[in-house]
Amino acid sequence: MNKTVNINLANILFHIDENAFNKMRRYLESVRRSFANTPGSDEILADIEARIAELFGEKLQDPRQVITSKEVDEVITIMGQPEDYMVDEDIFEDEPPFKSEAKRKRVKKLYRDTEMKYVAGVSSGLAHYVGIDPLWVRLLWILLTIGSGGGFILLYGLLWILIPEATTTSEKLDMRGEDINISNIERKVKEGFEDVANRVKGVDYDEVGNKVKNSGKTFFDTLGNIVMFFFKIIGKFIGIILVITGAATIIGLLIGLITVIIAGSAHIPGVDFYHVIDSSNMPVWLVSLLGFFAIAIPFFFLLYLGLKILVTNLKSIGNIAKFSLLGLWLISVIMLIVFGVRQAAAHSYESSVTDKYELAVEDSSIPVNIAMVSSTTNNRGNIHMGDMMLTHDENGNEVLVSKDIRLSIKRSKDSIFHLEVRKQADGSSFNNAMETAKRIDYGYTIDGNQILLNDYLTTEKENRFQDQEARVTLFIPEGVVLNYDNGDFRCWKVGAANDRDIDDCNIEDYTWMMGADGELKCQECPERRIDEEDDDERNKIRINEEGIDININDQDGESFKMKIDEDGVRIKAQDNDEERVDINIDADGNSIKIKAKDGDSSMTKSITKD
């Protein structure tokens, strides 16, 4: 049983057993003696203690864990013994520094180098990290800032906030990728003292005195503090937005993923419809999981970036986690692309089959009634996608019902009624599309003199949604009189040429007869309106139930208008919009009014029958 001692290294409390404590105390005392007469010894010792505390912290899994002799030996091995560096430096003053080939250099860490700064030390820190002269980084910043219209200034400010400053000797060595041991700490501290000494020797004290009197800070320091203050405010605001956006998106995606997985297990109708439109045979849970990773991982990094902005000393998630997430994201995106390609390939070909039927109408000498019949399935609670619907038939089996129907009414070439149904579908090949089209069911019924056509088609659920559709053509013999009932069918899906140019939505309002020219002839429409127009639409003659309207215009601007209706007769003649003759005769012929004008002369005459 060993006694435990509490020690304080670099203001950090550690628990250490007595044997390890004695060994560490002897080591620090020997280090202290070796730097007894060295300039800056206090700073060197402070940095060494800070590094030892850092190494202990890395090795301990729990703050309550006790440091043993094993951990002390490992730390001493890393830091090195003091006698390894107690040599006369002048002997090796002209010798190049020795570098061990077997010793691997430490990985550099990114810090801001405020010792070589112009503004915040971002450029010099980046230069240390990539191993180039800071001058090139600063020139690159200038070029990018000019080229972006000043946009890279915001990036500089963001890096100013995110990149920590190298303040301790350990951080400065980390910035250069050098080992943090006694030798390098001593050298770095001595370099700092030598640099200070050189600056002191070259100082013009009178000039410095004047500067101190005028201002305690340089222009860039003051400007930097002001800019830094605003960037910190903006940075914190951006960090909050990133955290909220990232967290809300990830939580929403996670809830959606869990919902889809549970719904798939419970066979909820909304998820079942996925199998109808899916042509890749990829499970819905897998597609949902891939979608979750493809969207959530980028937002996780946005969340992490926001936390880095808000929390200065946030611990890194590590390169292993970063590259693992990146690899998972790439795999998810690639799998989703493959899924999309397979979906598109399933609709890359189109084919059709045509079914032809002869219709046995009871008596074509009397009017034939044509009607569109809607599906008897209950639309409520069903899943829709465009014209396609997943529902149940009369037997309770799941079927796909589509309203993608078009109807054309044409003249038959003989005295028999014909029905032609062209069924069309998509597929991964022409044969696959044709087989899918063959499995489309379209129905009709003949009931005496009634032709009942379905305004829908059906197909089995296993055939999936392949853009199934039907084009129905009804051929009617010449001279047959018919009535048409559109029902709930969309009238714009009907095509029937007629002699009155009546819109297809209104043909059900009248009785028709199939003409020899293939046009339907209206049997009870009002008198036909005659509308004759030449190519330039100058001359129009209209005859309808309201009367006769004649309008004649020539290229010279002269016009003649005559209108005959229940009010009488009106005749006007004009020349370039100037009225020349105006004659009005009432319906009884008892009153005639004549107005005439020729140049500046005009005449008005009224004739009334006694």
Side-chain angles (χ1 to χ4, degrees):
M1 181 181 297
N2 293 330
K3 182 179 179 181
T4 301
V5 179
N6 294 331
I7 63 172
N8 186 325
L9 281 177
N11 296 323
I12 301 175
L13 181 65
F14 293 98
H15 305 289
I16 184 170
D17 68 35
E18 189 173 15
N19 294 335
F21 170 73
N22 292 329
K23 184 179 292 187
M24 177 55 63
R25 183 181 61 181
R26 289 193 298 269
Y27 176 74
L28 291 175
E29 287 176 356
S30 62
V31 171
R32 190 174 291 108
R33 286 194 301 270
S34 66
F35 294 110
N37 299 318
T38 302
S41 59
D42 292 338
E43 185 175 350
I44 294 174
L45 292 172
D47 288 332
I48 291 173
E49 287 189 5
R51 176 56 177 164
I52 292 174
E54 181 182 351
L55 292 174
F56 279 149
E58 293 175 357
K59 295 181 179 297
L60 297 180
Q61 302 296 327
D62 191 321
R64 294 174 296 179
Q65 183 177 344
V66 177
I67 299 171
T68 63
S69 297
K70 178 185 176 182
E71 285 80 23
V72 173
D73 291 337
E74 291 175 354
V75 169
I76 292 175
T77 301
I78 295 173
M79 297 298 295
Q81 294 289 345
E83 56 266 21
D84 296 337
Y85 311 104
M86 293 179 65
V87 294
D88 190 355
E89 296 177 359
D90 294 336
I91 298 176
F92 304 101
E93 194 172 67
D94 298 328
E95 294 292 331
F98 175 75
K99 293 184 180 178
S100 173
E101 295 296 332
K103 193 172 183 180
R104 187 165 56 90
K105 200 171 185 181
R106 287 171 52 85
V107 177
K108 295 180 180 180
K109 294 184 180 179
L110 184 57
Y111 289 96
R112 288 187 291 114
D113 186 3
T114 54
E115 292 180 352
M116 300 178 62
K117 72 174 183 178
Y118 273 102
V119 179
V122 173
S123 297
S124 54
L126 290 172
H128 286 305
Y129 191 75
V130 298
I132 60 175
D133 192 284
L135 175 63
W136 300 111
V137 180
R138 293 185 177 108
L139 289 175
L140 182 61
W141 274 115
I142 294 173
L143 293 176
L144 292 175
T145 301
I146 296 173
S148 63
F152 268 80
I153 295 177
L154 295 176
L155 178 60
Y156 186 93
L158 188 61
L159 292 176
W160 189 347
I161 297 171
L162 295 178
I163 300 175
E165 176 186 352
T167 54
T168 67
T169 303
S170 297
E171 291 172 344
K172 293 173 182 177
L173 291 173
D174 266 338
M175 181 175 63
R176 292 170 170 80
E178 300 177 7
D179 289 328
I180 306 174
N181 50 36
I182 294 177
S183 176
N184 287 333
I185 290 174
E186 178 190 10
R187 177 180 55 79
K188 189 63 184 172
V189 172
K190 285 183 176 181
E191 287 177 357
F193 272 91
E194 291 174 0
D195 183 56
V196 171
N198 292 332
R199 292 182 182 180
V200 170
K201 292 178 182 179
V203 167
D204 185 343
Y205 292 99
D206 292 335
E207 184 179 352
V208 171
N210 293 331
K211 287 184 177 180
V212 171
K213 292 178 182 178
N214 294 331
S215 175
K217 294 183 178 180
T218 64
F219 170 76
F220 281 114
D221 286 336
T222 304
L223 180 62
N225 290 335
I226 296 173
V227 173
M228 188 63 178
F229 173 75
F230 286 106
F231 270 123
K232 281 184 177 180
I233 295 176
I234 297 172
K236 297 297 182 183
F237 180 72
I238 293 174
I240 292 172
I241 293 176
L242 293 179
V243 169
I244 293 175
T245 303
T249 303
I250 293 173
I251 292 172
L253 290 172
L254 187 60
I255 293 173
L257 175 64
I258 295 173
T259 302
V260 170
I261 293 175
I262 294 175
S265 302
H267 299 288
I268 294 177
V271 179
D272 282 348
F273 194 66
Y274 163 81
H275 300 289
V276 174
I277 63 175
D278 171 48
S279 302
S280 64
N281 296 318
M282 190 177 290
V284 62
W285 65 266
L286 180 57
V287 176
S288 302
L289 190 63
L290 294 174
F292 173 79
F293 286 135
I295 301 173
I297 290 176
F299 278 94
F300 169 77
F301 281 106
L302 281 180
L303 171 64
Y304 180 69
L305 177 59
L307 290 174
K308 289 281 287 184
I309 295 174
L310 295 176
V311 183
T312 306
N313 298 321
L314 182 68
K315 190 175 180 180
S316 174
I317 62 174
N319 290 331
I320 295 177
K322 291 178 182 177
F323 287 112
S324 297
L325 289 174
L326 178 60
L328 184 60
W329 180 78
L330 288 174
I331 292 173
S332 301
V333 171
I334 292 172
M335 290 289 289
L336 288 175
I337 292 174
V338 172
F339 172 77
V341 170
R342 292 178 65 177
Q343 284 287 94
H347 296 266
S348 55
Y349 294 89
E350 183 180 84
S351 187
S352 63
V353 294
T354 301
D355 297 333
K356 297 181 179 180
Y357 309 94
E358 289 186 0
L359 307 183
V361 177
E362 187 175 283
D363 186 1
S364 59
S365 62
I366 60 177
V368 176
N369 296 319
I370 302 171
M372 302 300 296
V373 180
S374 299
S375 173
T376 58
T377 59
N378 186 0
N379 291 340
R380 290 181 298 177
N382 298 322
I383 307 300
H384 295 260
M385 181 177 177
D387 287 325
M388 185 68 75
M389 175 178 61
L390 178 63
T391 184
H392 295 80
D393 60 13
E394 293 81 0
N395 300 320
N397 300 317
E398 284 188 311
V399 294
L400 287 171
V401 178
S402 175
K403 291 280 190 177
D404 197 351
I405 304 292
R406 298 288 191 278
L407 173 64
S408 297
I409 300 176
K410 296 183 179 181
R411 182 181 68 86
S412 176
K413 295 181 180 179
D414 51 30
S415 59
I416 300 175
F417 288 82
H418 296 274
L419 185 67
E420 188 174 285
V421 181
R422 182 167 64 88
K423 299 181 291 186
Q424 186 172 301
D426 295 340
S428 56
S429 65
F430 284 116
N431 290 334
N432 177 262
M434 184 177 294
E435 290 299 320
T436 303
K438 288 180 180 178
R439 291 191 287 268
I440 295 174
D441 294 324
Y442 179 79
Y444 67 92
T445 305
I446 304 297
D447 184 11
N449 262 38
Q450 277 194 328
I451 301 176
L452 306 176
L453 303 174
N454 290 348
D455 67 356
Y456 62 94
L457 61 86
T458 61
T459 187
E460 297 296 327
K461 176 186 175 183
E462 290 72 21
N463 296 326
R464 293 188 173 92
F465 171 68
Q466 293 294 116
D467 199 19
Q468 290 92 337
E469 59 186 39
R471 300 294 179 260
V472 181
T473 304
L474 178 62
F475 294 93
I476 299 176
E478 179 185 346
V480 172
V481 177
L482 60 95
N483 293 300
Y484 173 76
D485 182 7
N486 206 49
D488 295 330
F489 192 58
R490 299 172 186 172
C491 58
W492 55 269
K493 291 186 175 183
V494 181
N498 62 82
D499 63 341
R500 297 301 177 94
D501 292 330
I502 293 178
D503 187 85
D504 294 326
C505 292
N506 298 318
I507 61 173
E508 63 180 348
D509 298 335
Y510 305 99
T511 300
W512 304 87
M513 183 181 70
M514 178 57 69
D517 56 357
E519 284 189 343
L520 295 176
K521 310 297 183 181
C522 189
Q523 300 301 294
E524 53 186 23
C525 295
E527 289 296 328
R528 184 181 179 185
R529 186 185 74 184
I530 302 176
D531 217 355
E532 297 181 1
E533 300 183 5
D534 59 11
D535 292 338
D536 57 5
E537 298 184 354
R538 289 193 304 269
N539 305 322
K540 296 181 181 180
I541 301 175
R542 293 182 180 178
I543 303 175
N544 52 38
E545 64 275 11
E546 295 179 355
I548 300 174
D549 191 359
I550 301 174
N551 189 353
I552 301 175
N553 300 275
D554 63 13
Q555 296 179 347
D556 297 328
E558 296 180 354
S559 65
F560 173 81
K561 297 179 181 180
M562 181 175 72
K563 187 173 184 178
I564 303 175
D565 55 20
E566 60 184 7
D567 295 329
V569 179
R570 290 180 297 282
I571 300 173
K572 289 184 179 181
Q574 293 181 331
D575 183 8
N576 293 323
D577 296 331
E578 183 178 354
E579 189 176 281
R580 295 297 185 182
V581 177
D582 184 4
I583 301 175
N584 289 310
I585 303 175
D586 63 10
D588 299 329
N590 295 325
S591 175
I592 300 175
K593 295 181 180 179
I594 302 173
K595 293 181 180 180
K597 185 177 181 181
D598 185 11
D600 296 332
S601 302
S602 61
M603 179 192 72
T604 301
K605 184 71 174 178
S606 295
I607 302 174
T608 303
K609 184 177 180 181
D610 293 333

